Amino acid sequence: QVHLVESGGGVVQPGRSLRLSCVASGFTFKNFAMHWVRQAPGKGLEWVAVISSDGRSQYHADSVTGRFTISRDNSRNTVFLQMSSLRIEDAAVYFCARDASFLGTGGGFFEHWGQGAVVTVAS
Amino acid sequence: QSVLTQPPSASGTPGQMVTMSCSGDSGNIGSNYVHWYQVVPRMAPKLIIYKNNQRPSGVPDRFSASKSGSSASLTISGLRSEDEADYYCAGWDDRLNGWFFGGGTKLTVL
């Protein structure tokens, strides 16, 4: 049974940094691409970033490029989202999601989701 | 403005059938799969349709979907109160090199 548990959320001031983690279990982590998807209060789903199964390929949404970085540690079954220069509009629930493929691009999809981590950006 | 366009709302009464649309272009829906997600407040999103029209195990066959050209649709038949949720289409865009969700359709079961 696939299990994804996010952590690292909290309250942070604008301009500061935060790192989210997502620990995976119930499947062979190194075989699947992983995503971060967020949902701001009262808003829709927004894809943030994807990393391939081997970590060699990453894509980020334009809204976070240059500020957020996705990475993974296959030895610890964990995917990370390093967030810097945080803005008010980055406040959201951040979901970790497992892709159905190893690349995480057009041939895959968001197959399993975690419960989310809440990030609040406020002064 | 979202890359994928969905109507903001839909509604129906129990037992009815409701269809919601998702419109894109040749760079996303027109050349890649469409997937559909159900989002209930304070719950994790749930995959209900993948690769245009495939249902994951455990999703009732009341849920069906199709794709034609650069548009897709999700149909829920035999509407039930527990179907009340937000529904999002999603797809990869080859030109923008990213994933995109539609703005979501809020389904109300009257």
Side-chain angles (χ1 to χ4, degrees), chain B:
Chain B
Q1 192 163 349
S2 300
V3 167
L4 303 182
T5 302
Q6 295 182 253
S9 64
S11 63
T13 56
Q16 276 190 331
M17 180 174 70
V18 64
T19 297
M20 54 193 81
S21 63
C22 174
S23 177
D25 62 34
S26 59
N28 41 69
I29 294 179
S31 54
N32 289 294
Y33 292 118
V34 178
H35 318 287
W36 292 87
Y37 297 87
Q38 178 190 63
V39 181
V40 175
R42 292 173 293 281
M43 299 270 295
K46 177 184 176 183
L47 174 71
I48 54 171
I49 294 287
Y50 66 97
K51 294 186 178 181
N52 301 336
N53 55 18
Q54 302 300 301
R55 259 188 330 274
S57 61
V59 174
D61 59 7
R62 302 185 296 104
F63 291 85
S64 62
S66 63
K67 187 186 97 167
S68 177
S70 298
S71 293
S73 63
L74 172 71
T75 297
I76 308 173
S77 59
L79 208 57
R80 303 177 66 157
S81 57
E82 59 260 37
D83 298 332
E84 190 163 281
D86 296 324
Y87 292 86
Y88 294 85
C89 60
W92 173 263
D93 192 295
D94 289 328
R95 288 180 289 200
L96 300 175
N97 273 336
W99 283 91
F100 292 88
F101 289 93
T105 297
K106 183 177 183 61
L107 174 64
T108 300
V109 180
L110 303 168

Side-chain angles (χ1 to χ4, degrees), chain A residues 30-104:
Chain A
K30 65 180 181 179
N31 290 349
F32 295 90
M34 298 295 294
H35 300 264
W36 287 99
V37 176
R38 68 185 180 183
Q39 185 171 27
K43 303 292 186 181
L45 297 176
E46 180 188 17
W47 171 77
V48 175
V50 62
I51 187 166
S52 60
S53 60
D54 61 5
R56 292 183 180 181
S57 175
Q58 307 98 33
Y59 294 92
H60 296 79
D62 285 348
S63 59
V64 305
T65 293
R67 300 187 302 120
F68 291 12
T69 301
I70 190 171
S71 63
R72 65 190 293 160
D73 183 343
N74 285 350
S75 68
R76 290 197 283 162
N77 287 1
T78 304
V79 60
F80 304 97
L81 185 68
Q82 179 66 48
M83 305 184 291
S84 60
S85 302
L86 280 160
R87 305 169 179 167
I88 298 290
E89 57 265 32
D90 294 319
V93 178
Y94 284 75
F95 297 100
C96 163
R98 195 202 83 174
D99 199 277
S101 73
F102 62 93
L103 274 179

